[in-house]
């Protein structure tokens, strides 16, 4: 249900008569891409750097019968390929979902106004600090504040996690070294690029990129607290 909720949101942006243009950064198990296809996007971009998963994504697209003009599976780090892929389209994206391995999602934040259109939607897999609910909520709010600083609104939908309701969690995760997501709920990010962002937030983005620190000292302290061990 989590990936379904993400796909519903990023594919729900109003677009022109040509249909929606959506990107998923990090194919993984392919669940969210399957859900995105249910909305029949005009164009579906998948960015994946892992060789085997990249090949699996291409095979999935072929077996799903998606016409080549409606999908592109790009191999490489998103940092290296996503801007070029969007430029090839000749237009910005309507929706973006991000779920990468061994990275923090905020790395892509400064890039969003360049690849996402005004009014476009952004979401990400929000499973940070999975062992501590207080830290998880705190870091979710920290990410929300970072997004607002570059011109995106950010709210969170509470989604019930059936795997951990009514004491069933122990059965679901039996035999695994740790629970994939042990909380009874999930905070699904719903972020929208506000109009006028490029003009209003250009200076903020430039300063943020200069030293990698958030504008607010409080946010910087929150990030430091998050990564401490």
């Amino acid at each position: 249900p989590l990936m379904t909720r993400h796909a519903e949101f990023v594919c729900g942006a109003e677009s022109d008569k040509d249909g929606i243009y959506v990107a998923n950064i990090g194919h993984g198990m392919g669940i969210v891409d399957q859900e995105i296809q249910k909305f029949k996007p005009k164009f579906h971009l998948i960015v994946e750097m892992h060789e085997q998963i990249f090949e699996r994504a291409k095979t999935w697209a072929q077996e799903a019968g998606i016409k080549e003009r409606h999908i592109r599976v790009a191999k490489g780090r998103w940092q290296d390929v996503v801007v070029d892929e969007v430029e090839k389209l000749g237009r910005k994206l309507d929706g973006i979902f991000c779920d990468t391995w061994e990275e923090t999602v905020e790395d892509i934040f400064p890039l969003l106004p360049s690849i996402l259109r005004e009014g476009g939607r952004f979401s990400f897999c929000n499973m940070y600090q999975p062992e501590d609910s207080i830290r998880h909520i705190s870091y979710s709010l920290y990410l929300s504040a970072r997004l607002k600083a570059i011109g995106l609104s950010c709210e969170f939908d509470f989604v019930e996690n059936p795997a951990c309701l009514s004491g069933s969690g122990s059965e679901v995760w039996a035999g695994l070294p740790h629970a994939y997501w042990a909380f009874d709920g999930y905070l699904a990010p719903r972020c929208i690029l506000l109009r006028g962002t490029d003009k209003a937030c250009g200076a903020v983005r430039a300063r943020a990129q200069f030293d990698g620190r958030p504008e607010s000292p409080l946010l910087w302290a929150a990030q430091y607290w998050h990564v401490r061990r």
Side-chain angles (χ1 to χ4, degrees):
L2 305 185
M3 294 300 114
T4 299
R5 188 66 66 90
H6 285 301
E8 289 175 348
F9 176 70
V10 298
C11 294
E14 293 183 2
S15 187
D16 54 36
K17 61 183 179 180
D18 290 334
I20 58 173
Y21 285 64
V22 182
N24 174 34
I25 300 175
H27 180 68
M29 294 184 290
I31 299 173
V32 76
D33 287 308
Q34 295 176 38
E35 295 297 323
I36 285 173
Q37 275 301 308
K38 292 179 180 179
F39 294 88
K40 302 186 183 304
K42 176 73 173 182
F43 188 80
H44 183 174
L45 172 65
I46 299 172
V47 178
E48 177 57 57
M49 69 169 293
H50 190 282
E51 180 66 35
Q52 292 178 323
I53 298 177
F54 166 72
E55 293 296 335
R56 190 172 68 197
K58 290 200 303 180
T59 299
W60 165 78
Q62 293 170 356
E63 293 179 348
I66 306 170
K67 295 181 179 179
E68 290 188 9
R69 66 176 181 273
H70 295 309
I71 193 165
R72 160 83 170 142
V73 183
K75 184 179 184 299
R77 299 168 66 246
W78 63 261
Q79 294 93 331
D80 299 327
V81 303
V82 71
V83 171
D84 288 342
E85 292 296 333
V86 173
E87 288 180 349
K88 290 176 185 177
L89 293 175
R91 53 159 292 169
K92 294 184 178 181
L93 298 163
D94 298 300
I96 301 172
F97 178 71
C98 184
D99 183 9
T100 58
W101 179 253
E102 292 294 330
E103 291 180 329
T104 174
V105 70
E106 64 182 305
D107 292 342
I108 200 174
F109 287 178
L111 189 63
L112 292 175
S114 301
I115 60 176
L116 186 66
R117 70 166 177 79
E118 292 183 348
R121 300 183 175 195
F122 171 70
S123 191
F124 55 91
C125 185
N126 185 28
M127 292 188 175
Y128 296 100
Q129 292 290 349
E131 307 298 334
D132 187 320
S133 60
I134 300 301
R135 285 177 177 257
H136 169 64
I137 293 171
S138 299
Y139 195 62
S140 296
L141 295 175
Y142 161 76
L143 293 174
S144 173
R146 290 298 313 270
L147 284 162
K148 289 177 181 177
I150 59 170
L152 284 89
S153 65
C154 182
E155 299 177 349
F156 296 92
D157 267 358
F158 181 83
V159 184
E160 287 188 344
N161 181 12
C164 293
L165 294 177
S166 303
S168 63
S170 59
E171 299 174 5
V172 172
W173 310 116
L176 297 177
H178 63 274
Y180 187 62
W181 187 249
F183 303 140
D184 61 1
Y186 173 80
L187 300 178
R190 299 167 57 91
C191 315
I192 299 176
L193 185 66
L194 303 177
R195 300 190 182 282
T197 293
D198 284 335
K199 295 180 180 179
C201 298
V204 172
R205 289 202 308 276
R207 289 195 296 273
Q209 291 173 347
F210 179 74
D211 62 4
R213 299 190 178 194
E215 285 295 291
S216 165
L218 180 61
L219 293 184
W220 179 248
Q223 183 184 42
Y224 172 75
W225 174 76
H226 161 69
V227 299
R228 281 194 312 176
R229 293 292 184 265

